[in-house]
């Protein structure tokens, strides 16, 4: 289904997902939300929240406290952000966010 979504065949992907769910297949994802798809880096709303705080220079423990998340959850979000932005460091992530206009949130 991911390949169908990547090809822009959202209706076909939704049809396949619905059929699989009807047949009892568990764990079928419905795909990214509209807001995630419209984001130039494919970041979720929560990832954007985390990225904003990373850009402010906060550490994962501080971000976790501010967003009422576990540190481990923030670790996962930061890893996903770095991967999606194609960068290796938090500083590079902040710079890429600014370049893409993601810091205007």
């Amino acid at each position: 289904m991911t390949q169908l979504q990547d090809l822009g065949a959202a209706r076909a992907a939704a049809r396949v997902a619905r059929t699989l769910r009807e047949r009892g297949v568990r764990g079928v994802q419905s795909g990214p939300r509209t807001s995630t798809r419209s984001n130039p880096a494919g970041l979720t709303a929560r990832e954007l929240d985390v990225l904003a705080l990373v850009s402010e220079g906060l550490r994962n423990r501080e971000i976790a406290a501010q967003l009422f998340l576990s540190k481990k959850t923030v670790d996962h979000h930061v890893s996903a952000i770095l991967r999606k932005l194609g960068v290796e460091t938090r500083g590079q992530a902040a710079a890429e966010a600014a370049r893409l206009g993601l810091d205007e949130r």
Side-chain angles (χ1 to χ4, degrees), residues 45-85:
R46 183 53 99 184
E47 289 167 348
L48 287 170
D49 294 339
V50 171
L51 178 58
L53 296 174
V54 165
S55 296
E56 290 178 18
L58 274 66
R59 307 310 305 163
N60 289 6
R61 181 179 58 254
E62 297 165 322
I63 294 169
Q66 192 160 338
L67 296 179
F68 304 101
L69 298 170
S70 75
K71 182 185 168 297
K72 188 71 166 176
T73 298
V74 174
D75 291 344
H76 288 290
H77 284 310
V78 171
S79 293
I81 290 165
L82 296 177
R83 179 180 45 79
K84 288 178 180 182
L85 292 177

Side-chain angles (χ1 to χ4, degrees), residues 2-23:
T2 304
Q3 289 98 353
L4 289 172
Q5 291 169 344
D6 291 344
L7 291 171
R11 284 186 174 180
R15 197 173 318 124
V16 169
R18 186 175 48 252
T19 300
L20 289 171
R21 281 190 213 98
E22 288 170 355
R23 294 182 181 180

Side-chain angles (χ1 to χ4, degrees), residues 26-39:
R26 301 181 82 188
V28 178
Q29 296 182 355
S30 58
R33 294 174 186 234
T34 304
S35 59
T36 302
R37 278 184 296 207
S38 66
N39 181 282

